[in-house]
Amino acid sequence: MGQIYIGRWASFTSVATITQAHPPAAVANLAPDSDGYLWIKADKFHESFCQDLTADEALVMAVAQKAPLADTFGNTIGEPAWKHKPSWYQLSSDDRMIAPENQRHMAQRLRAKKAMVLDASHASLVSHAAEVAGLIDEAAGYE
């Protein structure tokens, strides 16, 4: 079985380095708190993270969001697993949290066995569940 990236970071440097060329469309809607966690502003969550979902679904996600520490975006990783394992990538073409250009670059860099492009927000796991499940099934069946 390989690895599956669902509109996510497939790091080979730091997230900050990758993001410099193409910042996310919703970067202005991010705000750090006094402890250094980076939150999506509540009133901007729907348009920033899951604009292809209903307002009710977005509200649930906004209330339950888990913010990363802002300084983790500067961390580099060691040897990425994708260098040794087959990988699949689902790219969200309307993602406002990770620029689609950056996703495309990462999918090419990791030499994805398949790069599926969905007309989706960052919440593609919810808005396109059947398509994402199909990609997971494909990767799970790989030997």
Side-chain angles (χ1 to χ4, degrees), residues 45-132:
F45 191 91
H46 192 194
E47 70 184 67
S48 302
F49 191 85
C50 54
Q51 68 278 10
D52 53 353
L53 299 178
T54 68
D56 286 344
E57 290 169 316
L59 177 60
V60 170
M61 289 181 147
V63 171
Q65 73 172 298
K66 301 295 181 214
L69 280 168
D71 65 1
T72 61
F73 292 104
N75 293 347
T76 56
I77 62 163
E79 184 79 356
W82 56 259
K83 285 190 173 186
H84 309 286
K85 293 184 174 190
S87 300
W88 285 254
Y89 198 99
Q90 181 268 301
L91 186 150
S92 295
S93 65
D94 199 20
D95 195 325
R96 297 177 184 169
M97 299 308 302
I98 303 174
E101 297 86 356
N102 292 333
Q103 292 181 47
R104 201 169 291 107
H105 174 72
M106 289 182 284
Q108 290 168 348
R109 176 78 187 261
L110 61 83
R111 295 183 184 104
K113 295 250 177 236
K114 180 176 186 176
M116 175 193 293
V117 179
L118 296 176
D119 183 18
S121 69
H122 195 65
S124 61
L125 283 165
V126 178
S127 64
H128 290 79
E131 294 96 326
V132 171

